[in-house]
Amino acid sequence: MEIRLERRQTVSRRINVSSRILAVLLSLPLIGLLFAAYGVNPVDAYLRIFTGAFGSPYGFCETIVKTLPIGLCAVGLTLAYRARVLNIGAEGQLIIGSMAATWVALYSGLPQSIIIIVMLLAGFILGAAWALLPALLKSRLNISEVIVTLMMNYISLKLLDYVVTGPWRGLTQWGFPQTDPFPSYARLPMIVGTRIHYYTLILLLASTLILYVLMKRTKIGYEVKVVGGNPDAAKYAGISVTKNILLVMLVSGGLAGVAGVGEVAGIHGRLIRGISPGYGYTAIIPAWLGGLDPLATLIASFFISGLMVGGDAIQISLRLPSSLVYVFNGMILLLIISSEVLAKYRIVIKIGGSRIWI
Amino acid sequence: MTDNSKYLVEMRGIVKRFPTVVALDNVDFKVRKGEIHALLGENGAGKTTLMRILYGMYKPDAGEIIVEGRRASIGSPGDALKMGIGMVHQHFMLVDKLTVLENVALFVEEGFRISFNGIRSRMEELSKTYGLKIDLDAKIWQLSAGEQQKVEILKTLYRNVKLLILDEPTSVLTPIESEELFKSLRRMVETGKSIILITHRLNEALTASDSITILRKGKVVAAEVKPREASRLDLVNMIVGRPLEFKPRINNARKGGKPVLEVERLRVLDDRGLVAVKDVSFVMKEGEILGVAGVAGNGQRELVEALTGLRRVEKGTVKIMGMDVTNSPPKKIIRLGVAHIPEDRFRYGVAPDLSVAENMIMKLYGEKFSRGIFMDAEAIQRETEKLVQEFEIVAPSVNAPVSLLSGGNIQKLIVARELSINPKILVASNPTSGLDVASTNYVHWIFHRLREAGGSVLLVSEDLEEVLALSNRILVMKEGKIVREFGGGVSISEVGLAMTAGAA
């Protein structure tokens, strides 16, 4: 018997999708081993995760609540990753967006009627601005955006800590590291009976659709693809690499910023320390799981959010450490990256004279 | 049993199928001990596939390989090397940032410890024996393509190969370097080694080889042809299977044609910041093919990149159609009708993970292939299929990634794309490198047609025959300067002399 890899002549959509589903399925028994090590029946754990995330109206709504920030970040990241601009800074861009909205809500003194719009805009603009510096460094001086965006996440975290413990600390908060609550007119309205702030939901769906069309059908999408495929060839074809790097970073940074607005103005109603439990990092997973396709990424975001909500559920009911969910996420990402081999190559198994291939 | 002593390698009944094509169809191929065996054929005829099977990179679907009389199972390049078979690919497998010596060590050392002194003395001996001079302590990126090739050859010689496979070795070499290479190959053959030479250049096969095998569409059409007994025309007929249509001829450019490209006192730096183009001035007129000859690395690349907007101009001016385009962005220059077939097809020419169609529209995506902000999928499909057919590009489909195409077919794609923009000026660097006889002929015919229609071609080529056959005038570049200008009807030796001796 002999096993080897052969390059596929065409990479079909079906293979791309099925290799990713396979990656997710493979992660189940692997994590199952971990559950078993904690003395928990893996099947039981998975059932609880699933019902926790999707099995009740409450769980389902909570999954959507988490899909909002993760989805906004992830969908933006697909555009950047298409251009091979590896923005790891959605977390920081989200935090800066939430700070921008907080300033508008508490200190701008703008009229009530326009304040929400301005908050969303400010979140987008500041999130984008936070992404501008790494974009400029990359396009002008060819400095790795991975390092810069990652480092800027820590800067934004420290900035957040500073404002919530210092100048913006709420007078009514008994010394907790958080701001005063936003006035009601600066809160995002919610679908009744849930925590789903629907302005953000609409923005998520709209930006997914726009980016989907942008990538598939427009000149901009084509330019981004060529820049991602070979920047030198892009230059040769008269496509501005600088312009496209700036564009994708501004859009992905802006959308992450909007996600931050959703968190402060939708969920918490104030700026708190640790406003994001790593949504910006988590979002990297659905972006790849969705194969950098915005629609698929939206669905993947929903799935990953479900895992997080379900993970919370088993944490309480089975007394498992919450970090198991992050192990789960990491495992999925590793397997997706490995599964790209499957998408590009096929496995040929030769037994005697017969050839089986996958 | 056959006479084992005669043949070093025999491949019998080799079949290789790829999902959409039969690449090799029952191929027999034999190489004698101590000969240079040329393997000829069009792009996609199966030459490289056959050699990759011999080198253990592909497994044949049927057939057997006999090395020195014994049936061999070659599962990997490692196996091949153990049996004394080495291959130098078209694209070198070297680590840029390491020295020559370190690269050799990577290839030959298997244990934990590396004995650099041992490698050094062995390498010095090898390079002396075969006349392959190289600075062992130079970093790979500092070397020219020709020198890198020497490193690749020395690497395989270090492994004591009996058979060396060279895939289009002269495509990266200057005429002088090619001559040196053949001298070295001759020395190797004299010491009993065998060499397989994949090539598109018929003269090489005729003058440098001992035996020729020709493949066409995956089948052997002639085996062990003796070069003494064949003419160039015989070879062309066997390779292509039909006579070639176009015979290049120079008709003199219309006198007093308008100048379309005016270059004045141009100064351009290379990647290391040294002056590569030194105050070059020339004029190209409407309806002429202007050849630029020169040994590679004498500023041609930098000149071409400066003219097409890819490299900064330090001093001087470039005018196209009378408009000053010095340091204009590439887009502006493209819009003026300037097409560019780049020297390094993988660096600039294509985005390998993108599809054939997406690569084909790279120059006109903003005009012909879009409506408003949207791309016109139907027009893209239609036009790409048309060009694929016209230029006989072998591709699984127009939606397949370009990385699946052979080097020759990628070159055809680039040529097709650049000509599809109906250029007024075509800047072509080694436009036919890696192309087979028929495609080369086709490209030459198109250049000719472009000239007839009033277009102009700046033909920068290391292939002197090509430059001489097509150009109305020839500029010779040496050390960043234009040292001579020739009219039509000049002899190859005159130009060759100017390239090397270079009376400035």
Side-chain angles (χ1 to χ4, degrees), chain A residues 114-138:
Chain A
I114 59 161
I115 204 151
I116 294 256
I117 297 284
V118 176
M119 282 163 72
L120 287 166
L121 272 176
F124 186 93
I125 292 167
L126 267 289
W130 199 246
L132 183 67
L133 181 69
L136 284 174
L137 287 174
K138 178 174 173 70

Side-chain angles (χ1 to χ4, degrees), chain B residues 19-40:
Chain B
T20 47
V21 283
V22 180
L24 295 171
D25 186 2
N26 204 14
V27 167
D28 293 327
F29 178 65
K30 295 182 220 170
V31 180
R32 282 166 206 270
K33 281 182 189 156
E35 72 169 2
I36 298 182
H37 195 119
L39 187 55
L40 301 182

